[in-house]
């Protein structure tokens, strides 16, 4: 009887939290290029890469209103190779890299109420979890060990809700 109860409880817990912690529960945000707001482009000369950053509109609205990033917030960082002249990135009239159409990486961070409880305090990044996709929405890595670096590095941004670029954009909008 006790065992049955324990099994039922375990089942309830699993269904309440959805898929297990890790990249699989961070769904590929299909259509983000059309439905999200592209809030920033940066050039990465070290990688000859141009990065585009996107946020779902509800999260941007909340942040602009000064509210915490809500359940369901998704931030996307998309890598494009820079167009090259030989080995040198080509530049537009403003001196910025020009993105080639190809998408090399789609890095995703998603925040869901309760997600962080799956991680020990030293690793936990609030309620965020991370995934690294290719352009077609296939996970590049499903091994959770490949995501330790995401948690470690983004942890340094705890006071900005674990994000590097997003709140700078929100602050700049207010100026
Ligand atoms: C060594 C530090 C480091 C690691 C490891 C790292 N990131 Fe980041 N991440 C950054 C920095 C810095 C930025 C800002 C963009 C830039 O400078 O290129 C960023 C930006 C992002 C963004 C855009 C939102 C934001 O915070 O600005 C996402 C999404 C993201 N990273 C996901 C990931 C994922 C997924 C992983 C693991 C596969 C990961 N990151 C690993 C440092 C890191």
């Amino acid at each position: 009887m006790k065992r049955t109860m324990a099994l039922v409880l375990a089942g309830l817990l699993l269904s309440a939290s959805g898929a297990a912690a890790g990249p699989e529960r961070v769904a590929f945000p299909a259509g983000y290029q059309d439905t999200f707001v592209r809030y920033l482009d940066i050039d990465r000369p070290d990688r000859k890469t141009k990065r585009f950053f996107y946020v779902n509109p509800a999260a941007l609205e909340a942040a602009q209103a000064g509210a915490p990033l809500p359940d369901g917030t998704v931030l996307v960082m998309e890598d494009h190779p820079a167009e090259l002249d030989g080995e040198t990135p080509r530049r537009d009239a403003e001196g910025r890299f020009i993105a080639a159409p190809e998408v090399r990486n789609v890095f995703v961070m998603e925040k869901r109420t309760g997600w962080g409880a799956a991680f020990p305090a030293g690793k936990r990044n609030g309620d965020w979890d991370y995934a690294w996709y290719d352009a077609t929405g296939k996970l590049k890595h499903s091994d959770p060990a490949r995501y330790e670096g995401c948690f470690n590095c983004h942890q340094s941004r705890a006071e900005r809700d674990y994000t590097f670029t997003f709140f700078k954009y929100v602050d700049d909008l207010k100026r």
Side-chain angles (χ1 to χ4, degrees), residues 64-95:
Q64 283 187 272
L69 292 177
D71 179 60
T73 295
V74 178
L75 294 170
V76 176
M77 178 169 78
E78 179 193 74
D79 281 354
H80 294 257
E83 282 192 4
L84 300 178
D85 257 341
E87 290 294 301
T88 312
R90 291 178 49 214
R91 298 192 181 257
D92 65 16
E94 273 110 49

Side-chain angles (χ1 to χ4, degrees), residues 15-118:
S15 60
S17 61
E24 267 92 12
R25 69 179 174 176
V26 178
F28 182 73
Y32 67 88
Q33 288 168 322
D34 301 318
T35 57
F36 282 21
V37 177
R38 194 167 114 198
Y39 67 87
L40 176 71
D41 303 350
I42 63 168
D43 299 347
R44 289 286 305 243
D46 52 335
R47 298 171 193 220
K48 297 183 183 171
T49 291
K50 186 149 193 127
R51 300 191 136 160
F52 293 160
F53 297 79
Y54 302 83
V55 60
N56 63 305
L60 178 56
E61 244 173 70
Q64 283 187 272
L69 292 177
D71 179 60
T73 295
V74 178
L75 294 170
V76 176
M77 178 169 78
E78 179 193 74
D79 281 354
H80 294 257
E83 282 192 4
L84 300 178
D85 257 341
E87 290 294 301
T88 312
R90 291 178 49 214
R91 298 192 181 257
D92 65 16
E94 273 110 49
R96 306 285 314 276
F97 288 180
I98 299 160
E102 182 199 335
V103 172
R104 284 211 179 125
N105 299 296
V106 181
F107 297 100
V108 183
M109 55 195 286
E110 180 173 359
K111 184 182 187 183
R112 290 275 175 197
T113 306
W115 270 9

